[in-house]
């Protein structure tokens, strides 16, 4: 039977950072990390960006060199999944049939790509972009001549994939069920800009369309829409979000639903079990206490550090500031804060020149900012959002006024 003082389930950003932070904070006990993929911890965002575009080789994606984990006496158990949790006995059941006992458990299992439920969803040629294996399989098909690709989902993953595929010379159709892309995370100004930019790069981008089914014999050949028309497809990428990987925890009695519920120290309702990253639902300070999951590297890393400190006897409530980024074509989007519940937007800069910011206000207070090719706005605007400033809107809209000048004395 395996055993460790701290067992970390998940070898993504959160799991890796939890182990790194434990050692960094002086934890001398045994640490084991259990990961479903065969690779040591690696960065996920480049999968749909630089790695997909062949601009980075996989060895450049490692969070730490592979030998780091052994040097820090962190035992990696890769290609293994946790199938059950016994919180009373502090025992995990593994997909290998083995068991693993823990003193403290850190659940950082992330999520699985949400699958289509329509007929044809299980045809060959239907892909997600979540793991190295996902990307390698799709890249192999493109190398083999696949050129006509339909992307289902107009979130960041779908848009990033569409941008890379276009650069690789593929014909791309992007389908979004909602009236605009990025509808859940950004205002209409940013949505309209990205829709126009993708179309200018040759993407056949359609919003407000329903997918009826995928068609083909053995392998996908098209996507049938709600109106009966069929979009030809040599391959399909599905980017419609994730399902948090928390089944074993919920089955063992942990509170939660869309993710596992954690308190302001990232503790679950089960004794000595923490949860972090994409699968953890918490009351967010930067969304007026709304309970949510935040799917970002920043959140995973900061929650991991919070948990490591708690395990090392330095508990502090989780209060990390949320930020995010996305690369598409020559566009660098940087986001600070969460735009949940905004009631006003202000645009700074020139949308036509592809350099502008969208500021989100709620009751006159800055709660978030999206910056497209506007690094200074991001650096200065982030401080205003963190401080909860209520700026003069006229000055806010004037791009010649540096945002730092709107900070109260």
């Amino acid at each position: 039977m395996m055993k460790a003082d701290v067992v970390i389930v998940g070898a993504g950003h959160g799991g890796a950072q939890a182990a790194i932070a434990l050692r960094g904070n002086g934890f001398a006990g045994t640490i084991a990390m259990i990961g479903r993929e065969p690779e040591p911890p690696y960065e996920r965002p480049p999968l749909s960006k630089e790695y997909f575009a062949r601009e980075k080789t996989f060895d450049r994606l490692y969070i730490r060199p592979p030998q780091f984990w052994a040097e820090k006496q962190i035992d990696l158990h890769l290609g293994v999944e946790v199938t059950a949790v016994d919180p009373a006995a502090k025992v995990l059941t593994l997909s290998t049939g083995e068991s693993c006992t823990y003193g403290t458990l850190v659940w950082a299992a992330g999520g699985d790509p949400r699958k289509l439920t329509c007929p044809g969803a299980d045809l060959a040629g239907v892909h997600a972009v979540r793991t190295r294996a996902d990307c390698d399989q799709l890249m192999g098909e493109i190398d083999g001549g696949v050129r006509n690709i339909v992307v289902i989902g107009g979130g960041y993953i779908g848009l990033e994939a569409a941008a890379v595929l276009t650069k690789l010379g593929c014909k791309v159709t992007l389908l979004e069920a909602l009236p605009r892309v990025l509808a859940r995370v950004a205002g209409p100004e940013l949505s309209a800009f990205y829709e126009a930019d993708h179309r200018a790069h040759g993407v056949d981008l359609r919003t407000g369309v329903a997918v009826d089914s995928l068609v083909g014999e053995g392998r996908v050949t098209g996507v049938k829409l709600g109106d009966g028309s069929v979009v030809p497809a040599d391959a399909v990428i599905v980017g419609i979000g994730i399902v948090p990987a928390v089944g074993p925890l919920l089955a063992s009695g942990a509170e939660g639903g869309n993710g596992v519920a954690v308190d302001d120290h990232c503790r679950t309702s089960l004794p000595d079990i923490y949860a972090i990253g994409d699968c953890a639902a918490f009351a967010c300070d930067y969304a007026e206490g709304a309970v949510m999951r935040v799917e970002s590297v920043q959140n995973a890393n900061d929650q991991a550090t919070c948990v490591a400190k708690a395990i090392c006897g330095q508990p502090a409530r989780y209060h990390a500031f949320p930020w995010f980024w996305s690369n598409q074509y020559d566009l660098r989007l940087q986001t600070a804060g969460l735009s949940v519940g905004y009631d006003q937007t202000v645009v700074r800069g020139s949308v036509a020149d592809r350099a502008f910011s969208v500021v989100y206000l709620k009751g006159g207070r800055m709660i978030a900012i999206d910056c497209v090719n506007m690094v200074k706005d991001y650096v200065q605007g982030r401080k205003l959002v963190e401080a909860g400033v209520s700026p003069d809107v006229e000055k806010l809209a004037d791009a010649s006024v540096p945002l730092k000048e709107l900070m109260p004395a």
Side-chain angles (χ1 to χ4, degrees), residues 373-395:
N373 295 339
M374 294 278 277
V375 176
K376 284 186 178 179
D377 264 17
Y378 172 74
V379 172
Q380 297 175 18
R382 171 178 175 148
K383 294 177 181 178
L384 296 181
V385 174
E386 284 190 82
V389 169
S390 297
D392 180 295
V393 173
E394 191 171 324
K395 291 181 179 178

Side-chain angles (χ1 to χ4, degrees), residues 117-336:
T117 57
C118 63
D122 57 350
L123 287 169
V126 179
H127 302 273
V129 184
R130 181 76 178 173
T131 67
R132 178 193 185 177
D134 293 336
C135 289
D136 285 351
Q137 185 178 10
L138 181 57
M139 289 159 66
E141 292 190 8
I142 292 172
D143 290 344
V146 166
R147 283 293 176 271
N148 196 15
I149 300 178
V150 174
V151 178
I152 300 175
Y156 285 117
I157 293 296
L159 292 175
E160 288 169 0
V164 172
L165 290 167
T166 300
K167 288 167 66 175
L168 293 176
C170 297
K171 179 183 177 183
V172 181
T173 302
L174 189 145
L175 308 174
E176 169 54 54
L178 296 175
R180 58 186 178 88
V181 302
L182 302 176
R184 294 185 177 91
V185 294
E189 299 90 347
L190 197 73
S191 298
F193 170 75
Y194 273 101
E195 288 170 12
D197 201 75
H198 276 272
R199 287 174 178 138
H201 279 87
V203 176
D204 179 1
L205 192 153
R206 311 182 194 183
T207 58
V209 294
V211 172
D212 174 82
S213 58
L214 305 188
V215 297
E217 295 292 333
R219 182 179 176 88
V220 68
T221 58
V223 179
K224 183 178 179 182
L225 305 182
D227 63 5
S229 64
V230 175
V231 181
D234 300 325
V236 171
I237 294 176
V238 180
I240 55 174
I242 67 166
V243 178
V246 293
L249 273 188
L250 298 186
S252 67
E255 295 178 5
N258 179 22
V260 61
V262 298
D263 65 11
D264 57 6
H265 287 73
C266 299
R267 295 175 297 212
T268 71
S269 60
L270 300 175
D272 298 312
I273 300 181
Y274 296 84
I276 59 176
D278 290 359
C279 64
F282 66 102
C284 181
D285 291 341
Y286 292 93
E288 297 183 332
V291 175
M292 60 175 60
R293 294 184 302 105
V294 176
E295 297 173 16
S296 73
V297 173
Q298 165 274 316
N299 179 63
N301 284 345
D302 286 340
Q303 286 188 329
T305 300
C306 174
V307 166
K309 288 183 176 180
I311 293 172
C312 292
Q314 309 160 40
R317 66 184 301 273
Y318 182 63
H319 184 65
F321 183 74
W323 53 268
F324 179 81
W325 82 96
S326 176
N327 294 334
Q328 298 168 47
Y329 307 113
D330 58 342
L331 304 172
R332 171 72 167 174
L333 170 67
Q334 295 170 287
T335 294

Side-chain angles (χ1 to χ4, degrees), residues 1-17:
M1 180 181 287
M2 293 166 45
K3 62 179 181 179
D5 296 319
V6 175
V7 173
I8 300 166
V9 178
H13 285 275
Q17 179 59 27

Side-chain angles (χ1 to χ4, degrees), residues 11-196:
H13 285 275
Q17 179 59 27
I20 292 167
L22 281 168
R23 290 297 187 231
N25 282 278
F27 183 76
T30 53
I31 302 173
M33 188 187 307
I34 299 171
R36 289 189 292 178
E37 294 181 67
E39 294 88 3
Y42 64 91
E43 297 179 33
R44 306 305 166 118
L47 288 177
S48 58
K49 304 178 181 76
E50 298 94 335
Y51 181 65
F52 201 20
R54 321 295 175 95
E55 295 167 359
K56 273 189 178 181
T57 53
F58 188 78
D59 60 298
R60 294 176 60 194
L61 270 57
Y62 288 127
I63 291 174
R64 291 290 188 275
Q67 66 272 19
F68 168 89
W69 308 103
E71 291 170 355
K72 294 295 182 179
Q73 296 183 301
I74 298 164
D75 295 328
L76 297 185
H77 301 272
L78 303 174
V80 181
E81 192 166 358
V82 173
T83 59
V85 180
D86 183 339
K90 292 192 169 184
V91 174
L92 307 176
T93 302
L94 308 181
S95 55
T96 57
E98 296 175 283
S99 297
C100 176
T101 63
Y102 63 87
T104 302
L105 180 64
V106 181
W107 194 271
D112 299 304
R114 189 177 298 279
K115 296 180 179 180
L116 294 173
T117 57
C118 63
D122 57 350
L123 287 169
V126 179
H127 302 273
V129 184
R130 181 76 178 173
T131 67
R132 178 193 185 177
D134 293 336
C135 289
D136 285 351
Q137 185 178 10
L138 181 57
M139 289 159 66
E141 292 190 8
I142 292 172
D143 290 344
V146 166
R147 283 293 176 271
N148 196 15
I149 300 178
V150 174
V151 178
I152 300 175
Y156 285 117
I157 293 296
L159 292 175
E160 288 169 0
V164 172
L165 290 167
T166 300
K167 288 167 66 175
L168 293 176
C170 297
K171 179 183 177 183
V172 181
T173 302
L174 189 145
L175 308 174
E176 169 54 54
L178 296 175
R180 58 186 178 88
V181 302
L182 302 176
R184 294 185 177 91
V185 294
E189 299 90 347
L190 197 73
S191 298
F193 170 75
Y194 273 101
E195 288 170 12

